[in-house]
Amino acid sequence: MPSSPPVPNSIRIPSRCRSRPAPISPSACICPRPRPHRPAIPARAISFALAGNHVADASLAGAAQTPHWYALADVEVAGPANAGSIVAIGDSITDGYGVKPSRNTRWTDILAERLRRTPATRGTGVVNAGIGGNRILLDGLGPNLMARFDRDVIARSGVRWAILLEGVNDLGVLTREAPATPAQHAALVTQIITAYTELVTRAHAHDIKVIGATITPFGGNDYYHPGPASEADRQAINTFIRTFGLFDAVIDFDRVMRDPAQPARLDPAVDSGDHLHPSEAGYRRMGEAVPLALFGSGRR
């Protein structure tokens, strides 16, 4: 898909950044005087790179293009008193694996569109904190969820809700290289449930509600080749999410996405083809399944 060029004046740069850009150390941030604006900054979007100082340029002629963000990690904007944000934290299903750059059709994009169209939730934004290959307990592509939760959820400004959809990679990796023993399966389920409990406790200490999302099916996936034991693990975790009462609310993505005839598999109508990641139609189904009633307009 052809990429779109940068939109002139789509983001207003503070005057001091135009004249004397401040050096930014690795993992540090710069906080210029906040300006109210509404930038459209999707993930899985094209980045434009050009040598030199081009901060004030209206266009970036000759810039190299890449479908990744290597330098920009976060953008914070000023908002009204009743504004708030939802952090969707998870793995490649939240990151939007399979979505073409700049199409903005991840389930979080669909949710954001619905929030903007609804007067009661128009001041609520969505932050996508999905990382492909991410796991709850151990590092994979990026730090594990337990290690990054404070940075990616709690430390963000204005966060009032977190939607937690993660665990499929923990389940898949357990048996990817070799079968696991019943004791190993049981231990993993216990560890994931314990991790959920800790994450909710940490979020509640900062007045952030956590919405648990059930793990979607991945039966038939060639990368993880899950068997009956892995499916039993998934069902045990999903039963906990639905019934234990740990989470402030539950989004049942498993029910929304599974094949009624084969519940261990994705519905073929929303399967990307790898039996793990949704198609664009699947991401739309997920985004439309999130109840907007979970998100009020005023601060608590």
Side-chain angles (χ1 to χ4, degrees):
M1 173 183 172
S3 60
S4 302
V7 179
N9 300 318
S10 58
I11 298 182
R12 295 161 55 191
I13 305 298
S15 57
R16 70 170 176 166
C17 289
R18 294 178 189 271
S19 55
R20 295 191 318 171
I24 306 176
S25 301
S27 302
C29 65
I30 183 170
C31 300
R33 182 168 64 88
R35 300 284 187 102
H37 59 284
R38 297 179 62 192
I41 305 179
R44 292 198 169 267
I46 299 294
S47 291
F48 298 82
L50 192 62
N53 185 349
H54 299 275
V55 207
D57 292 3
S59 63
L60 297 177
Q65 301 180 23
T66 178
H68 300 285
W69 286 357
Y70 291 113
L72 181 63
D74 198 52
V75 174
E76 295 189 2
V77 299
N82 67 342
S85 60
I86 306 160
V87 176
I89 192 156
D91 47 44
S92 56
I93 295 173
T94 295
D95 179 49
Y97 178 87
V99 171
K100 296 288 191 290
S102 301
R103 283 184 61 84
N104 305 330
T105 53
R106 302 163 300 165
W107 71 263
T108 52
D109 298 318
I110 305 306
L111 172 59
E113 288 175 5
R114 295 175 59 222
L115 291 165
R116 284 194 297 269
R117 290 197 305 263
T118 305
T121 56
R122 195 163 291 153
T124 302
V126 180
V127 176
N128 188 312
I131 297 178
N134 199 227
R135 287 187 281 173
I136 297 172
L137 302 171
L138 298 173
D139 291 348
L141 297 178
N144 66 79
L145 178 59
M146 301 300 290
R148 71 185 182 97
F149 190 79
D150 285 8
R151 180 198 69 185
D152 289 347
V153 176
I154 293 173
R156 294 187 185 273
S157 300
V159 176
R160 295 170 54 205
W161 303 273
I163 300 176
L164 198 168
L165 171 60
E166 189 145 359
V168 70
N169 292 317
D170 296 78
L171 297 177
V173 169
L174 179 66
T175 57
R176 180 170 178 257
E177 300 296 336
T181 66
Q184 289 173 316
H185 281 280
L188 180 63
V189 170
T190 299
Q191 288 165 2
I192 289 175
I193 288 172
T194 301
Y196 285 160
T197 304
E198 180 181 332
L199 293 171
V200 171
T201 300
R202 282 155 63 180
H204 284 176
H206 295 270
D207 205 25
I208 297 171
K209 291 185 175 181
V210 183
I211 300 165
T214 52
I215 300 170
T216 51
F218 64 117
N221 176 253
D222 289 337
Y223 185 74
Y224 285 143
H225 44 81
S230 295
E231 174 61 12
D233 295 345
R234 189 180 73 89
Q235 292 293 345
I237 293 168
N238 283 348
T239 297
F240 173 85
I241 292 171
R242 293 185 185 106
T243 64
F244 190 76
L246 171 69
F247 294 99
D248 296 287
V250 172
I251 302 169
D252 201 343
F253 283 143
D254 172 43
R255 179 185 59 78
V256 169
M257 299 296 288
R258 68 193 178 208
D259 181 352
Q262 300 182 85
R265 290 175 174 256
L266 286 172
D267 182 343
V270 296
D271 189 340
S272 67
D274 69 2
H275 311 305
L276 171 63
H277 299 97
S279 61
E280 286 197 33
Y283 288 126
R284 176 163 292 278
R285 184 186 288 186
M286 291 175 69
E288 290 176 346
V290 180
L292 297 191
L294 295 175
F295 315 109
S297 58
R299 289 194 182 277
R300 288 172 292 151

